[in-house]
Structures are given as C-alpha cells and as structure tokens.
C-alpha cells in the first residue's frame, strides 16, 4: 500500500473515531437535558480562574494525566479542590512538563508518518484511542467537575497499552536479557502496587485515608473521612476532620455545613447556628423580591434546610425559618425540599391556606413525590377537609405503597370517620406497619381502637398494653386501657395505669375522675379520692362532675352538712343536671332524719356523669361508672 493511500485510510479511520466521539457527546448532552451540570470552583478551580491561568492549568493537567499512565505511583480517589495548585504564570516550572507531554505526542505522531505501514497503523490507532476518549475530560468542550479523575484514564489506557506493546515488541526483537528482566521487574512492581491498592479499597474510610496520604490539600477528602466517622457515631472525631477541611479551604461551603450538622448532633446548637450562617454567607446573595436563579450546587442549598430546621426548634422563630426557605426558593425555584419544609413551617404557623399553595406548587415540580401528597393531606386535615385529606393520603400510597406516615394517618382517618365496611382496610394498613423496623406506638393504639369498635376487648387490651410498653407516658393508651379494665370489673388492674397516667399527665381530668371512683369503690381510700377531685377543681373550679363526686366523699364520711353545702354549690353551677338535684334532695332528707333521730346515716349515693370511650388521641372521655 502506498503512503498516500495509507494516509487516506488512516485519516478515514480517525475521522470515524472523531465522529463517534462527537455522537457520544451529543447523546450525553441530550440525556442531561441540553444543560450542563452545576459545578463550583471547588470542584475544578481552574475552570473558574482567569486567563492565562485557566489555559495553562488545563494544558498541564493533560501532561499530569499522561504521567499517571506512565508512572501510577501516587494514586488518589479524589483530585478536586486544591489537589493540583493552579499554574498562574509562564514562569511556573510545571509548564516544562506540559511542553514535554505535547512534544512526546508530537514525536509519536511524526514517527508514525515515517515508518512502515503496520507500525504506522498501530501508532495512529494507539494515539487515537488515547486522545479521543479523553477529550470529554479535557475541559476542551466544557468544564468538568474534577481536576484529575483516574477513572477517565480507563479507556485511554487501552491505547497506551498498545504503545507499550509496540515498544516491547521492538525491544524483544533484539533478544536482550536485560529487556526481558526489566519487563519482569516492571510486572512484579505493578502486581505489588495493585495488591497494595486493593487494601485501600476495602472500605470508604480506608480509601479516603489513603487519599490523604497522597494529598493533604484536598478539603473534600477530610470531609469524606468525617462523613465515614459520622456513620459510625464518632461525631467528636468527625468534627476534627471537618475543622481541618475548613483550615485547608476556608471558603468550602460544604465543610461549614458539616461542622454545623455535627455540632447539632452534639447538642451544641449555638455553635451549629454560627457554622450554618458562615456557610450561608458564602453563597451568592439573591436580590430581595426578584426572581433569581443561582448556579449553586444542590448540596450547598441544604444549608437553608439545616439552618431553618435548627432555628424552628424555637417556636418564636418560625417566621425567621420561613424567610430562609423563601430565600432558598428564590435561589432555585425547582428546589422541592424547600417547598416541603416551608409548608411544614406554615402549618405550624396555622397558615394552612399558604401551606396548601406551597405544596400544590411543589406538585407541579414533582408530581410523583409521595411526601408532598402526604403533606397536602395533613393540610386538609388541619382544614377539617377529611375527604380531601384521605384522597391525598391515597395518592401518596399509590406512589409509595409503603409510605409509613400515609399508611398510619389514612388508617386513623378511616377508623375515626369511616364506616364498618372500611375497618378492614384500616386494619390491614396498621398490620402492614407492624413489619416496620421501628413500630410507632400509635399503630398499636389504633389497632386497639379498631378492636374496641369490633367489641373484641381481649384483643384491644393486648394492643393498648403494647402501646404503653413502647411509650410509658402515652396518655390516650393509658386512659383507655384503664377504662377497659375498669369496665371489665377489674378496677385494681386499672389502678396502676391510672397512677402512671397521673404521674405523666397530672392535668388529665377524666383520668383523675376515674381514679377517684376506683379509690372510693374498690380501694375504699376516701382521702386519695378526695385528693383527686380537689386537684381537678384547682384546674377547673367549675367542673360539676368533680365537685359532685367530692360531695359523695363527704357523704361516705358521714359529713352531711358539708355534703349538702357541696351539692348546693354543684346545683348552682348546673341547675339542669338531674342527678345533682336528686342527690341534693336525698342528702337534705337524710339530714332531716338525722336531726329527728339524732343518728348518722351513711349515703350509698354517688354518680359519675355519663362518659364515652375516647375515639381520638388527646380527646379522652369515659363511660358511666357509678361511684
């Protein structure tokens, strides 16, 4: 084949490779929505540098990648941030490495034009396989999110291996023992390096630590080591690495966020807020009231969520938290998490109409997000629109059938408002939640309520006991369990649960009434019963039921004068309550008989106001239990 025809064939082959490369780049851009990903100056500092620093550094990185192929000694899992200092001037000696790299490529290309056809074909194909796959990572078409990435050398290494093989074949033709010995030594060295490198890849922690042995200028490596320690619960050790990351790169927003988050885990909320605010101050500031889209890494916007969640712990700072979420949304209008969290704050501020608008806006951005549908259902619940709430919960479950909160709250809603035909659905949803790793005590409680609806008192008692085991201060479960036992004529078994309820919730009026009733009828401890009723009257001086039962205590003690005075007061508060006026008449009649006979007659009369089983946590009522 003549040199002319060969060059034509070689040009055709390289043209095919170039066209294929351009096709792959076009497909990649199409997949990304014809929009370049967002990178910061920390990912690739040279991309944000001025001329000629940017060009000098980019060209030096080509030579550096070639050196890693030739001499893979110092390997690192991450070369972003300050891993490779910028080449800022022509006098930088690293420019000699750039010239040497391009000179080597030029020499190989020139040599390929003056050798025989077979060697020329190998050299050209080797260069093409080295160069074309590397082009997307070369910053030639668009800036990439790294300084050096060893993974991008995988495809170019095939062309490099062809060059090595070509050189080895030329050397082997001389039948030199020294050449073969050198090849054997090189093979042994690379084998040992591979085995040593494999130990670095045993875990994320060992990998990032090995990177720090090569590169101490990369703040991202310190952050990653800190993250590994965080997952192990070693927050104090993680904090030291995050602080080191800040010393290495003071403007690293992520490092400040990590410090703030770790302080939050350690309960040092003041320090956490300071760190979050430092991170926030490093972000570009949008003009207030104007639409503004900032090219900010999504992970950096988490500072708004972290800071707002922290300050919203204080109920007096909810408005401040809301402002932070609004600022995040102005910076990035498609930031769904900010909409979700802002909606939660608006609910707490009782601005449910605004919360509804926020969630509806979020659904336009991410209609397949089960959390948004669930939160919208919570808003409808706050607005007492139970049908719409249940519909939103159903939509959330259609997207994510295992959404725990939607399962629980839809089951509660069905149990409280649905008919008997829907109880089976509620029961199955609550049963599904029993398979979760951490079962919420409310699951057991509402299973108990469903059992009560079905008149299965044994099963209801089982579920209520489970709820109390999980949460010792669960007021509704404690009360309903005590009520169930009391109705089953097991008042002494109910007593410990009522005492536990009083310990955690001393203001639980209906529980105190039931407790006092048991003290009178089962325990015969009038002092304890009287103390229960008096504690109610301290909270609610006009509570007719507590006042009436206190009158009953006086009757049981035989103190008819005190009982009559007490019942007169109760009658004045509730003149239409028949049982109060009836008992007042009985006491007066008894007193009259006592005055006539000069004897003491004990009254068997007392009455507790009609009471019903509670149907909803935090709104307990009790059944009629005669004292």
């Amino acid at each position: 084949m003549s040199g002319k025809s060969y060059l034509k064939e070689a040009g055709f082959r390289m043209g095919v490779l170039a066209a294929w490369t351009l096709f792959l780049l076009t497909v990649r851009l199409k997949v990304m929505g014809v929009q370049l990903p967002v990178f910061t100056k920390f990912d690739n500092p040279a991309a944000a540098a001025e001329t000629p620093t940017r060009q000098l550094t980019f060209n030096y990185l080509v030579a550096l990648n070639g050196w890693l192929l030739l001499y893979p000694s110092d390997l690192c899992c991450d070369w972003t941030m300050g891993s490779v200092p910028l080449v800022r001037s022509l006098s930088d000696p690293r420019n000699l490495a750039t010239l040497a790299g391009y000179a080597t490529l030029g020499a190989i290309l020139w040599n390929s034009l003056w050798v025989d056809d077979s060697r020329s074909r190998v050299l050209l194909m080797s260069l093409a396989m080295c160069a074309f796959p590397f082009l997307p990572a070369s910053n030639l078409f668009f800036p990439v999110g790294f300084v050096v990435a060893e993974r991008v050398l995988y495809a170019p290494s095939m062309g490099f291996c062809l060059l090595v093989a070509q050189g080895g074949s030329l050397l082997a033709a001389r039948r030199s023992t020294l050449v073969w010995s050198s090849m054997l030594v090189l093979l042994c060295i690379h084998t040992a390096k591979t085995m040593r490198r494999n130990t670095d890849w045993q875990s994320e922690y060992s990998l990032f630590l090995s990177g720090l042995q090569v590169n101490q200028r990369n703040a991202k490596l310190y952050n990653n080591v800190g993250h590994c320690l965080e997952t192990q619960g070693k927050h104090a050790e993680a904090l030291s690495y995050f602080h080191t990351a800040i010393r290495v790169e003071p403007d690293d927003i992520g490092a400040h966020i990590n410090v703030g988050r770790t302080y939050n885990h350690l309960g040092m909320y003041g320090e956490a807020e300071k760190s979050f605010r430092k991170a926030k101050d490093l972000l570009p500031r949008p003009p207030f009231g104007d639409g503004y889209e900032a090219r900010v890494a999504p992970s950096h916007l988490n500072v708004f969520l972290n800071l707002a969640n922290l300050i919203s712990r204080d109920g007096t700072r909810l408005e401040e938290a809301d402002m932070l979420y609004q600022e995040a949304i102005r910076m990035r209008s498609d930031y769904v998490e900010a909409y979700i969290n802002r909606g939660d704050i608006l609910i707490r501020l009782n601005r449910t109409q605004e919360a509804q608008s926020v969630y509806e806006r979020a659904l336009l951005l991410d209609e397949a997000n089960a959390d948004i549908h669930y939160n919208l259902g919570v808003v409808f619940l706050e607005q007492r629109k139970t049908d719409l709430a249940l519909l939103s919960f159903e939509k959330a479950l259609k997207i994510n059938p295992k959404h725990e909160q939607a399962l629980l709250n839809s089951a509660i809603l069905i149990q409280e408002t649905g008919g008997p035909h829907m109880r089976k659905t509620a029961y199955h949803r609550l049963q599904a939640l029993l398979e979760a790793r951490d079962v919420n005590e409310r699951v057991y409680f509402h299973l108990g309520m469903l059992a009560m609806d079905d008149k299965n008192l044994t099963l209801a008692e089982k579920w209520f006991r489970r709820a109390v085991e999980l949460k010792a201060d669960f007021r509704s479960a404690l009360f309903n369990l005590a009520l169930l036992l009391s109705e089953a004529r097991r008042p002494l078994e109910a007593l410990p649960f009522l005492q536990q309820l009083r310990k955690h919730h001393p203001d639980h009026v209906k529980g105190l009434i039931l407790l006092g009733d048991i003290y009178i009828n089962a325990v015969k401890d009038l002092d304890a019963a009287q103390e229960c009723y008096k504690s109610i009257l301290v909270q609610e001086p006009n509570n007719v039921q507590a006042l009436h039962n206190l009158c009953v205590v006086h009757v049981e003690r035989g103190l008819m004068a005190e009982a009559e005075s007490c019942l007169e007061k109760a009658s004045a508060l509730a003149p239409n309550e028949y049982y109060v006026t009836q008992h007042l008449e009985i006491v007066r009649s008894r007193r009259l008989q006592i005055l006539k006979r000069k004897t003491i007659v004990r009254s068997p009369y007392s009455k507790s106001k009609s009471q019903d089983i509670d149907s909803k946590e935090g709104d307990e009522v009790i059944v009629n239990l005669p004292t």
Side-chain angles (χ1 to χ4, degrees), residues 307-562:
L307 180 56
N309 287 336
L310 178 63
I311 66 176
S312 64
R313 294 166 58 94
D314 183 351
T316 64
R317 303 180 68 185
L318 295 180
E319 293 285 357
E320 186 179 349
D322 181 40
M323 294 296 294
L324 286 168
Y325 290 129
Q326 290 185 60
E327 186 175 350
I329 291 170
R330 287 201 306 275
M331 294 188 74
R332 186 160 180 165
S333 60
D334 62 348
Y335 192 19
V336 175
E337 288 297 321
Y339 288 101
I340 295 174
N341 283 271
R342 186 182 178 221
D344 179 61
I345 293 294
L346 292 171
I347 292 174
R348 292 173 63 183
L349 289 168
N350 201 30
R351 291 155 57 183
T352 56
Q353 201 61 45
E354 290 182 63
Q356 179 181 340
S357 299
V358 167
Y359 288 135
E360 288 172 347
R361 169 63 178 160
L363 282 175
L364 294 176
L365 298 171
D366 189 3
E367 189 177 1
N369 191 315
D371 289 333
I372 303 175
H373 286 287
Y374 168 77
N375 290 347
L376 188 57
V378 173
V379 171
F380 288 136
L381 271 183
E382 292 290 330
Q383 297 173 350
R384 302 186 183 278
K385 300 175 181 177
T386 54
D387 292 340
L388 291 176
L390 187 57
L391 180 62
S392 292
F393 293 152
E394 295 295 338
K395 288 181 179 179
L397 290 173
K398 186 176 181 180
I399 297 169
N400 179 10
K402 295 184 178 180
H403 194 288
E404 293 185 6
Q405 291 173 308
L407 283 170
L408 176 59
N409 284 280
S410 63
I412 293 172
L413 201 55
I414 291 171
Q415 182 259 318
E416 292 178 351
T417 63
H421 63 286
M422 297 184 67
R423 279 195 207 126
K424 190 174 181 180
T425 301
Y427 183 78
H428 286 318
R429 290 183 180 182
L430 293 172
Q431 282 284 350
L433 289 170
L434 293 180
E435 301 174 4
R437 179 181 301 177
D438 298 317
V439 181
N440 190 306
E441 65 277 356
R442 295 174 66 204
V443 175
Y444 292 119
F445 173 75
H446 287 283
L447 280 169
M449 296 304 299
L450 284 170
M452 290 290 289
D453 292 339
D454 293 333
K455 310 301 181 185
N456 190 339
L457 302 185
T458 302
L459 186 58
E461 179 183 346
K462 169 190 170 183
W463 294 128
F464 287 148
R465 286 183 181 273
R466 290 276 187 89
V468 172
E469 288 171 4
L470 277 182
K471 187 177 181 183
D473 62 344
F474 194 169
R475 56 184 289 154
S476 294
L478 286 166
F479 177 78
N480 281 279
L481 177 57
L483 177 61
L484 184 152
L485 294 170
S486 180
E487 284 189 314
R489 301 184 184 278
R490 296 155 60 189
L492 294 181
E493 293 182 51
L495 184 61
F497 295 106
L498 288 170
Q499 291 171 336
Q500 187 174 340
L501 175 64
R502 186 180 186 186
K503 175 185 175 182
H504 295 290
H505 306 283
D507 59 343
H508 197 289
V509 172
K510 295 179 178 66
L512 288 170
I513 289 175
L514 182 58
L515 180 59
D517 183 76
I518 292 175
Y519 277 138
I520 292 176
N521 293 294
V523 183
K524 307 300 181 183
D525 188 342
L526 298 179
D527 291 337
Q530 180 174 324
E531 198 273 331
C532 286
Y533 300 137
K534 284 187 174 180
S535 64
I536 295 174
L537 293 172
V538 169
Q539 303 173 54
E540 301 179 9
N542 296 328
N543 189 302
V544 176
Q545 189 175 355
L547 181 59
H548 168 267
N549 286 1
L550 181 60
C551 302
V552 172
V553 173
H554 295 322
V555 172
E556 292 293 328
R557 293 183 187 277
L559 304 174
M560 293 301 175
E562 288 85 346

Side-chain angles (χ1 to χ4, degrees), residues 79-94:
W79 291 85
T80 55
M81 308 189 85
S83 299
V84 179
L86 298 176
V87 181
R88 298 185 179 277
S89 67
L90 293 173
S91 60
D92 192 310
R94 287 176 294 174

Side-chain angles (χ1 to χ4, degrees), residues 81-121:
M81 308 189 85
S83 299
V84 179
L86 298 176
V87 181
R88 298 185 179 277
S89 67
L90 293 173
S91 60
D92 192 310
R94 287 176 294 174
N95 289 317
L96 296 176
T98 303
L99 293 174
Y102 283 121
T104 301
L105 290 175
I108 296 173
L109 182 61
W110 178 261
N111 188 52
S112 68
L113 299 176
W114 300 99
V115 295
D116 59 71
D117 292 348
S118 61
R119 285 174 56 190
S120 177
R121 185 179 299 109

